[in-house]
Amino acid sequence: MSSADSPAEVAQDERMIKADLQLSKLQIMFNLQADKRLIYIGVQPTVALRYLTRLVAARPRILRNHIRRIYLAIQCADNEQLTGALIDLLLVLRGRGQFLVNRLIQQSGPLLHSDHRIAMNKAVDTRDLSRLVDLPLEHAVLSNGRCMQFSRQKLH
């Protein structure tokens, strides 16, 4: 800030920067909706990952969004988001799509904790979603008690 800049001008500049950032985020969201590729090509993958996470929560049956979210979590090297995305996919598929899920878990391998990977593989192989209860569910937007619901069904 130079001595010629008044506090009002500085505040105006800050508002313009925040507005540009919001427009940039909005543009990313529009681009994601128009782009049908599974792999995100863009400048802000973390913003895209947050948007896809919300999109999965709003429309959980759209498989493409789950897969894009998983690949974005891999691209961002975010193992917590990746774990949540894989759990959500397992919950939506309900034991189906074993080949797809195994492939995604394998591609996620280096980022996943080994015990998480083992639990997911067992859940896929046995189609027993109650195994997901022991995984961290903070980033699984579809769990909301579903893992507990499946474990209670197995117990009774």
Side-chain angles (χ1 to χ4, degrees):
M1 179 167 85
S2 68
S3 60
D5 291 338
S6 71
E9 290 172 334
V10 171
Q12 178 66 22
D13 288 343
E14 288 176 4
R15 283 193 296 274
M16 295 293 287
I17 291 170
K18 288 180 183 178
D20 287 343
L21 183 60
Q22 291 299 330
L23 285 174
S24 173
K25 288 179 180 180
L26 189 61
Q27 187 62 46
I28 289 169
M29 293 174 201
F30 280 116
N31 291 345
L32 269 173
Q33 290 178 3
D35 187 8
K36 299 301 178 195
R37 292 177 287 197
L38 292 177
I39 306 295
Y40 174 73
I41 311 256
V43 293
Q44 293 185 350
T46 54
V47 172
L49 179 58
R50 279 188 299 238
Y51 174 71
L52 271 174
T53 300
R54 288 192 293 267
L55 199 57
V56 163
R59 298 184 188 125
R61 295 184 186 261
I62 301 175
L63 186 60
R64 175 181 293 279
N65 290 337
H66 285 276
I67 295 169
R68 292 174 83 190
R69 179 179 169 212
I70 290 167
Y71 283 142
L72 259 170
I74 292 171
Q75 185 179 350
C76 294
D78 190 333
N79 66 344
E80 293 174 349
Q81 287 288 340
L82 178 59
T83 301
L86 286 166
I87 290 170
D88 287 337
L89 179 64
L90 286 166
L91 290 173
V92 165
L93 291 177
R94 295 184 180 169
R96 297 180 304 265
Q98 289 177 304
F99 180 76
L100 171 66
V101 176
N102 281 330
R103 182 174 165 202
L104 290 170
I105 291 171
Q106 181 184 13
Q107 290 175 342
S108 305
L111 287 175
L112 287 176
H113 294 294
S114 62
D115 54 335
H116 297 171
R117 185 176 58 251
I118 291 167
M120 286 182 201
N121 282 327
K122 286 181 181 177
V124 171
D125 293 342
T126 63
R127 296 182 182 195
D128 179 10
L129 297 179
S130 67
R131 295 178 181 269
L132 301 176
V133 173
D134 297 328
L135 297 176
L137 301 174
E138 298 87 40
H139 298 283
V141 295
L142 301 178
S143 64
N144 291 338
R146 287 189 190 180
C147 294
M148 293 305 292
Q149 173 188 359
F150 289 121
S151 67
R152 278 191 223 113
Q153 287 175 355
K154 288 287 183 181
L155 294 174
H156 297 331

